[in-house]
Amino acid sequence: MKKATHLFAACALLAASTGLFAQNQPGPYAPLQNVAQLSASAAVEVQQDLLSIAMTTTRDGSDAATVQNQLKLALESALAEARKTAQPGLMDVRTGNFSLYPRYGKDGKINGWQGSTEMVLEGRDFARITAAAGKVQTLSLGNVGFALSREARARVEGDAQAQAIERFKAKAGEISRGFGFSSYTLREVAINANDQGPIRPRMMAMEAKAAMSDSAIPVEAGKSTVLVNVSGSVQMK
């Protein structure tokens, strides 16, 4: 009985000590002190290095099978011509959209069929792509666009990120000193990147193709701006 009494007393003392320790610690919802929220960004402009040319044609007729076969022949001829100079990464060739749908008369009945097909040339070798597009005779130019390749974007994004981080650190130091603190520690940080240079159509190239010559199509790439933003909070001390 004596041992049981001593055990009970020890447990009571431990419980009291634990409660006192908990009261002296900041609660989970204690207000933060000397914490600054800030953000910094950096932008790097780079020449677009990826060209995409979409070539298309349309057919119509009274019979669906005939229209489909005409589209098939036009696409096969274009693919055969483009594949002569295709090379992975420099110029890739792929098929695009294909559609076949009925045409209705005023009486609501089907009186014919219409369809279209598409071939896409894309890659980093602009001269190769434009020359191949100029030699295709069975398809017409549908759209020309430019973008950044994954490799170029990753490289530029790395440069912009390094600049944004340095600006964030500099701003954190300035803010800390402005409030009378000598240093700071990083609490949390978020990094976001985006490309502000979307693919742009070039009407000059579309007009050039209208002549249906076998010379290279003139194109001109634009620039993309890769923006990286660094935001977060620091503990001033």
Side-chain angles (χ1 to χ4, degrees):
M1 185 60 131
K2 191 172 183 180
K3 290 183 178 179
T5 301
H6 289 167
L7 180 60
F8 176 78
C11 291
L13 180 60
L14 178 61
S17 300
T18 303
L20 180 62
F21 178 77
Q23 291 178 3
N24 292 333
Q25 301 303 308
Y29 301 106
L32 298 176
Q33 294 183 343
N34 305 329
V35 174
Q37 300 278 349
L38 64 147
S39 65
S41 61
V44 176
E45 191 176 69
V46 62
Q47 191 78 24
Q48 294 168 326
D49 66 338
L50 192 65
L51 170 63
S52 175
I53 295 182
M55 307 191 71
T56 184
T57 190
T58 60
R59 296 287 190 276
D60 65 81
S62 58
D63 180 67
T66 300
V67 173
Q68 180 174 320
N69 188 58
Q70 291 175 348
L71 292 172
K72 175 176 175 290
L73 293 175
L75 180 59
E76 287 178 345
S77 176
L79 288 172
E81 179 61 47
R83 285 169 178 161
K84 294 177 182 178
T85 53
Q87 188 170 341
L90 299 181
M91 188 185 83
D92 294 303
V93 182
R94 62 179 175 84
T95 57
N97 296 323
F98 180 91
S99 64
L100 182 64
Y101 47 91
R103 184 180 63 232
Y104 294 91
K106 294 182 179 180
D107 56 0
K109 296 181 179 180
I110 296 176
N111 62 7
W113 292 83
Q114 294 178 320
S116 65
T117 189
E118 182 183 57
M119 178 184 70
V120 180
L121 309 178
E122 56 189 5
R124 296 190 299 271
D125 191 335
F126 289 13
R128 182 188 299 262
I129 295 171
T130 55
K135 294 177 181 178
V136 174
Q137 298 299 312
T138 56
L139 303 180
S140 299
L141 197 66
N143 185 51
V144 177
F146 298 90
L148 280 181
S149 64
R150 292 182 179 180
E151 298 81 4
R153 193 183 193 286
R155 182 177 63 256
V156 175
E157 186 176 311
D159 294 340
Q161 178 176 291
Q163 294 180 29
I165 290 175
E166 288 303 315
R167 291 177 183 177
F168 181 92
K169 291 162 60 178
K171 183 179 289 188
E174 292 174 2
I175 291 175
S176 297
R177 290 189 295 272
F179 281 103
F181 296 91
S182 60
S183 62
Y184 69 89
T185 56
L186 186 65
R187 288 181 56 86
E188 59 182 11
V189 65
I191 300 177
N192 298 299
N194 65 78
D195 183 354
Q196 296 184 327
I199 293 178
R200 302 182 301 157
R202 304 295 296 185
M203 297 306 295
M204 57 174 288
M206 298 179 70
E207 294 168 357
K209 183 58 181 175
M212 293 302 291
S213 67
D214 60 357
S215 60
I217 298 172
V219 295
E220 180 183 351
K223 291 185 177 182
S224 288
T225 300
V226 176
L227 176 68
V228 175
N229 183 71
V230 178
S231 59
S233 61
V234 296
Q235 179 73 56
M236 299 179 292
K237 59 181 182 178

